[in-house]
Amino acid sequence: PDSSTVERSDKHGLAAGAAAAAPSPDWTIPQGWEQYTADEHAVWKTLFERQTRLLPGRACDAFVEGMRALPIGADEIPDFRRLSDVLMKRTGWQVVAVPGLVPDEVFFEHLAHRRFPAGNFIRKPHQLDYLEEPDVFHDVFGHVPMLMNPVIADFIQAYGEGGLRAQRLGRLPQLARVYWYTVEFGLLRQRDGLRIYGAGIASSYTESRFCLESDSPNRIRFDLERVMRTRYRIDDFQETYFVLDDLEELLALSRIDFGPLYERLGSGPEYDPGDVLPQDEVIHRGSGSYHHPQQEG
Ligand code: HBI
Ligand code: FE
């Protein structure tokens, strides 16, 4: 893409299609913090306040601690420079601005270098509950607090490194499921109960309750190969959540040699999002009432 044609001042509120012209080879753009409007800060405030009310007793301790130590508050969209200052000291991560979804290899390259690409735009008031591309609320509120945790910090870097390799080996769909069912939609069994650590849930008003309180979804103990064989839903609540007993489990995952696993994954079954298998350690067997409502009569 020809960066010279991109109008740098025109970058807020860009959604689908906006990323078509990459402003630079690594797709980063200035956050343009000074250009956010009062209305945009107000959308952030609405999202921040309703989510912050919901998370006590639902988000895991690491999330709450990360959030507390960061310059993230209700009144304004956070400034990535200030987030990066704090993150850098704690775990060596930075937050860089991108216009929306970026190509897989660009995404991985950033993660491998401990740069988290965050959308700089914020959803419109009519999109509070769902949008297709990650915006600043999902990326900053959902992901950045967990990047303060050293285990998650290393795991996401390893995912970036592994992503580049998986792509070369044609195994990206399988690896992406690990990210999906952990970093985005993971649950954690804390001493005091099931908690959220996945950013896709932590930033969602509706799913943060559904994932813990609904009897509809399955909650199954995380198993790496099982997860890599399991398709996921991108446009609705998950039918199954995978549960870690300890975030430290991710530490082992970032050191695993996926080579032999990729070999095995070349054959054998693939599972649907709602499948429950005989070998699963089932924490809650979902009723399926949300995704598969029973017909009357
Ligand atoms: N780009 N900005 C952004 N954020 C993501 O989470 C993201 C992306 N590009 C590709 C991507 N995720 C993935 O689907 C990979 O994890 C496979
Ligand atoms: Fe995300």
Side-chain angles (χ1 to χ4, degrees):
D2 179 7
S3 59
S4 64
T5 60
V6 172
E7 182 55 71
R8 290 224 164 218
S9 60
D10 177 31
K11 62 187 165 20
H12 282 149
L14 297 182
S24 61
D26 70 357
W27 285 67
T28 60
I29 54 177
Q31 183 188 4
W33 190 84
E34 287 76 13
Q35 274 98 60
Y36 291 123
T37 64
D39 285 348
E40 290 174 323
H41 287 302
V43 171
W44 169 275
K45 187 184 177 84
T46 302
L47 292 165
F48 180 94
E49 286 183 338
R50 65 177 200 173
Q51 206 60 20
T52 299
R53 271 198 300 277
L54 221 51
L55 289 186
R58 292 195 179 89
C60 72
D61 292 346
F63 185 93
V64 173
E65 284 159 21
M67 186 67 85
R68 201 183 296 134
L70 284 160
I72 299 179
D75 290 338
E76 52 189 34
I77 297 170
D79 184 331
F80 294 178
R81 292 164 295 201
R82 296 185 58 211
L83 296 175
S84 297
D85 286 344
V86 176
L87 266 180
M88 180 57 78
K89 285 189 198 113
R90 181 75 63 99
T91 57
W93 274 78
Q94 286 171 268
V95 179
V96 296
V98 291
L101 283 173
V102 301
D104 292 340
E105 60 277 12
V106 174
F107 186 62
F108 297 141
E109 190 70 28
H110 282 300
L111 300 183
H113 292 90
R114 291 172 103 89
R115 294 186 300 263
F116 195 82
N120 73 335
F121 70 98
I122 190 149
R123 66 198 73 181
K124 300 281 179 247
H126 66 273
Q127 302 170 304
L128 290 194
D129 288 321
Y130 182 73
L131 79 170
E132 313 234 322
E133 285 199 85
D135 72 341
V136 63
F137 186 74
H138 167 76
D139 281 330
V140 168
F141 189 97
H143 284 287
V144 173
M146 291 307 291
L147 285 170
M148 293 284 279
N149 178 274
V151 172
I152 296 280
D154 286 358
F155 178 66
I156 296 182
Q157 177 187 1
Y159 175 72
E161 293 163 353
L164 295 168
R165 202 161 71 102
Q167 215 173 22
R168 287 195 300 273
L169 299 171
R171 287 284 180 261
L172 187 51
Q174 284 78 19
L175 185 70
R177 291 167 183 168
V178 181
Y179 189 84
W180 189 266
Y181 282 119
T182 59
V183 172
E184 294 292 356
F185 292 95
L187 294 180
L188 173 67
R189 199 147 45 169
Q190 249 176 218
R191 308 158 299 290
D192 46 356
L194 278 190
R195 294 290 185 273
I196 297 161
Y197 74 93
I201 350 182
S203 62
S204 165
Y205 189 60
T206 47
E207 192 155 3
S208 55
R209 284 166 297 170
F210 177 83
C211 72
L212 293 173
E213 283 137 59
S214 171
D215 69 3
S216 185
N218 303 307
R219 301 183 188 89
I220 295 174
R221 175 94 184 82
F222 180 89
D223 176 83
L224 180 59
E225 186 167 338
R226 157 71 156 107
V227 163
M228 292 179 93
R229 292 184 184 279
T230 307
R231 290 181 279 269
Y232 54 80
R233 293 179 170 265
I234 54 169
D235 57 355
D236 203 347
F237 296 150
Q238 299 306 303
E239 266 187 86
T240 298
Y241 298 92
F242 290 96
V243 181
L244 294 177
D245 278 334
D246 197 318
L247 288 178
E248 301 275 322
E249 286 177 52
L250 298 178
L251 206 60
L253 287 194
S254 26
R255 296 186 181 138
I256 265 185
D257 174 11
F258 280 67
L261 195 49
Y262 288 150
E263 285 289 313
R264 271 212 304 288
L265 289 168
S267 58
E270 293 259 296
Y271 306 118
D272 281 330
D275 287 352
V276 177
L277 312 176
Q279 71 267 28
D280 283 338
E281 190 182 316
V282 178
I283 295 165
H284 170 81
R285 170 79 199 229
S287 68
S289 59
Y290 175 81
H291 293 94
H292 310 284
Q294 297 299 307
Q295 300 298 317
E296 285 301 318

